[in-house]
């Protein structure tokens, strides 16, 4: 029998339709669509509408022209964006390096009480932002706080100031509170990446005489760059979505004198209103859309530019 006849007599194997996968995914798809996808599209749609003669009407890009062209709206928006960038930079330059350093120390083989240190550092991330904000307001209060007394014990009371009440230091103080709360997340992610490095690589480095911190900088750090990249983009998304801690510590007005106002608090005041200010759904949706576009641009930059450059370090 020729090869052509054999090929003709071959019966293709029919694979069963895995319909059960769709059944299991359907509830998650419905919930995700109801909670995330539909509100997102409704927000985008609402940013192109406004109230005209008592009725909702399509106004195109008029809301965006007001946001960027009107003096009052533009001042509040650019001030919030600037503060948000400072908030993000402090997390990138303080939180993530500290997280990497803590993970490197916890990965030392002969370090004792590793479990205790890991739990103690990660524990603040499990606390409610309301509790964290209230506790730090009490600690830093110049009237009844314990910070002046603790600084006096080490002879540094003269350096104490009402940091949360001064426009020049309020944003830095709130950012450092956030760093204290969430430094455990980059620490745990980097720690897990360090533990995932094959022992053969470490043994080869030790055979070449590379040990200690030199081993970390030359061998381990390049291998955990993908994890650092993920942490960076998570920090970016989390900081440009931030709202809760600043609202708890400084209130919706993000005082003093709007020095801690970020895009999240601006969105809250614009959409829901505050005190004598009435809420504006259309302008609130416009601010939310701009926030979404900023986050989308940052994530796209990471996925299509940065991630491609660090893939060569992955196993």
């Amino acid at each position: 029998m020729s090869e052509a006849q054999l090929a003709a007599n071959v019966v293709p194997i029919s694979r069963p339709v895995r319909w059960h996968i769709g059944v299991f995914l359907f509830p998650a798809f419905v919930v995700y669509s109801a909670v995330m996808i539909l509100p997102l599209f409704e927000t985008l749609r609402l940013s192109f509408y406004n109230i005209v003669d008592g009725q909702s009407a399509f106004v195109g890009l008029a809301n965006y022209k007001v946001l960027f062209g009107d003096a009052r709206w533009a001042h509040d928006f650019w001030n919030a964006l600037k503060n948000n960038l400072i908030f993000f930079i402090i997390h990138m330059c303080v939180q993530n390096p500290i997280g990497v350093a803590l993970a490197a120390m916890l990965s030392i083989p002969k370090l004792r009480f590793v479990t205790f240190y890991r739990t103690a550092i990660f524990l603040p991330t499990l606390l409610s932002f309301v509790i964290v904000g209230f506790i730090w307001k009490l600690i830093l209060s110049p009237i009844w706080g314990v910070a002046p007394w603790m600084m006096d014990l080490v002879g540094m009371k003269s350096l104490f100031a009402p940091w949360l009440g001064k426009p020049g230091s309020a944003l830095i103080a709130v950012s450092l509170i956030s760093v204290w709360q969430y430094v455990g997340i980059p620490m745990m992610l980097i720690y897990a990446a360090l533990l995932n490095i094959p022992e053969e690589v470490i043994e080869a480095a030790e055979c070449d005489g590379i040990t200690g911190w030199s081993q970390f900088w030359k061998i381990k750090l390049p291998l955990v760059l993908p994890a650092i990249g993920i942490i960076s983009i998570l920090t970016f998304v989390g900081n440009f979505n931030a709202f809760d801690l600043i609202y708890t510590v400084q209130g919706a007005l993000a005082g003093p004198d709007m020095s801690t106002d970020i895009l999240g608090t601006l969105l809250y005041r614009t959409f829901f209103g505050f005190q004598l200010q009435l809420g504006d759904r259309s302008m609130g949706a416009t601010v939310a859309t701009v926030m979404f576009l900023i986050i989308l641009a940052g994530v796209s930059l990471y996925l299509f530019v940065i991630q491609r450059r660090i893939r060569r370090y992955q196993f």
Side-chain angles (χ1 to χ4, degrees):
M1 185 176 294
S2 64
E3 294 182 0
Q5 293 175 337
L6 289 175
N9 293 331
V10 173
V11 179
I13 300 175
S14 59
R15 296 182 179 181
V17 179
R18 299 180 179 180
W19 55 269
H20 60 280
I21 296 178
V23 173
F24 286 117
L25 289 177
F26 183 74
F29 174 77
V30 171
V31 173
Y32 186 79
S33 299
V35 176
M36 298 294 294
I37 302 300
L38 294 180
L40 174 61
F41 281 104
E42 178 62 19
T43 300
L44 296 176
R45 186 195 68 82
L46 190 60
S47 66
F48 296 104
Y49 285 78
N50 211 330
I51 302 300
V52 179
D53 297 330
Q55 295 182 349
S56 179
F58 179 79
V59 295
L61 298 177
N63 293 330
Y64 296 92
K65 293 180 181 178
V66 172
L67 181 64
F68 296 110
D70 183 84
R72 183 179 66 86
W73 282 103
H75 174 269
D76 291 345
F77 173 78
W78 292 115
N79 175 67
L81 180 59
K82 181 195 70 173
N83 292 335
N84 225 144
L85 286 173
I86 296 173
F87 192 71
F88 166 67
I89 292 172
I90 292 176
H91 280 76
M92 283 293 296
C93 297
V94 179
Q95 173 185 281
N96 292 347
I98 291 177
V100 173
L102 292 173
M105 288 187 289
L106 290 177
S107 63
I108 297 175
K110 298 181 180 180
L111 183 65
R112 301 176 62 186
F113 308 113
V114 173
T115 303
F116 171 77
Y117 297 142
R118 188 171 62 232
T119 304
I121 297 172
F122 189 75
L123 186 61
T125 63
L126 304 179
L127 298 177
S128 169
F129 60 87
V130 177
I131 296 175
V132 172
F134 183 72
I135 289 176
W136 276 101
K137 284 183 68 175
L138 292 178
I139 292 175
L140 298 177
S141 172
I143 300 176
W144 55 73
V146 298
W149 173 76
M150 296 180 66
M151 295 181 68
D152 188 34
L153 293 178
V154 294
M156 299 176 62
K157 187 176 181 180
S158 60
L159 300 178
F160 177 79
W163 292 301
L164 291 176
K166 299 174 66 176
S169 60
L171 181 61
I172 298 176
V174 175
S175 301
L176 293 179
I177 293 173
S178 179
V179 166
W180 172 85
Q181 183 178 9
Y182 293 111
V183 71
I185 295 178
M187 179 202 70
M188 292 300 293
L189 292 175
I190 298 297
Y191 180 66
L194 290 173
L195 295 181
N196 196 39
I197 297 176
E199 290 294 333
E200 295 81 3
V201 176
I202 305 301
E203 292 174 359
E206 292 176 350
C207 291
D208 292 336
I210 305 176
T211 58
W213 285 106
S214 178
Q215 182 185 101
F216 174 78
W217 288 108
K218 296 179 179 180
I219 305 298
K220 294 183 178 180
L221 185 61
L223 294 176
V224 299
L225 280 180
I228 294 177
I230 293 174
I231 291 170
S232 300
I233 196 61
L234 290 177
T235 303
F236 176 81
V237 174
N239 282 273
F240 276 88
N241 273 327
F243 163 76
D244 43 18
L245 184 62
I246 291 182
Y247 180 79
T248 304
V249 177
Q250 301 295 85
L253 292 177
D257 195 24
M258 299 292 183
S259 60
T260 59
D261 192 25
I262 60 175
L263 294 176
T265 51
L266 175 64
L267 168 62
Y268 175 83
R269 292 196 313 275
T270 303
F271 196 96
F272 297 101
F274 186 74
Q275 293 181 350
L276 299 179
Q277 176 183 338
L278 297 178
D280 190 332
R281 297 173 58 211
S282 298
M283 290 304 300
T286 305
V287 175
T289 302
V290 174
M291 291 175 61
F292 168 74
L293 294 177
I294 292 174
I295 295 173
L296 180 63
V299 173
S300 300
L301 175 66
Y302 168 77
L303 291 177
F304 298 108
V305 179
I306 299 176
Q307 190 181 42
R308 292 184 178 181
R309 295 185 178 182
I310 63 179
R311 278 180 180 173
R312 61 179 177 268
Y313 295 108
Q314 293 178 322
F315 291 102

